[in-house]
Amino acid sequence: MTPAYAIGETICDEYVVRLPLGAGGMGEVYLVEHSSSGDLRAAKVMRYLDGASGDDLAGFRQEAVSLLNVGNNPFTVRLFDVREQGRNTVL
């Protein structure tokens, strides 16, 4: 599968793609650089493609809420941001 974003492309006006890391049932994961701080982060992007539903988006949003409810835990990823732009949702 070809990644939706190319190296150097910007996601949600703030995250520059450095490397595609993987893809799964809900979206794709990229190594990104925050344009202001220069911090490297992972961005999980859900894209509305043919077949994606409102339930898919609800599940993606629930994942974000779950991460926020866990708080700072050494066994989970830290959620920095949730963005929706156009038909993309990014954690």
Side-chain angles (χ1 to χ4, degrees):
M1 173 187 278
T2 302
Y5 291 96
I7 293 172
E9 195 169 353
T10 301
I11 301 173
C12 290
D13 300 323
E14 208 165 333
Y15 300 100
V16 180
V17 173
R18 294 298 175 220
L19 183 70
L21 297 175
M26 292 184 76
E28 300 172 340
V29 179
Y30 298 89
L31 175 66
V32 297
E33 182 178 344
H34 188 267
S35 59
S36 297
S37 69
D39 291 340
L40 293 177
R41 299 178 180 167
K44 184 174 184 180
V45 181
M46 179 182 172
R47 299 193 72 218
Y48 275 107
L49 301 173
D50 295 335
S53 69
D55 288 341
D56 294 330
L57 179 56
F60 205 71
R61 287 180 178 149
Q62 182 57 48
E63 182 178 344
V65 169
S66 296
L67 285 170
L68 290 172
N69 288 336
V70 167
N72 192 8
N73 184 305
F75 300 105
T76 62
V77 297
R78 182 174 168 202
L79 181 63
F80 288 94
D81 200 0
V82 178
R83 293 286 179 109
E84 292 187 48
Q85 182 180 43
R87 297 182 59 83
N88 292 328
T89 302
V90 180
L91 301 181

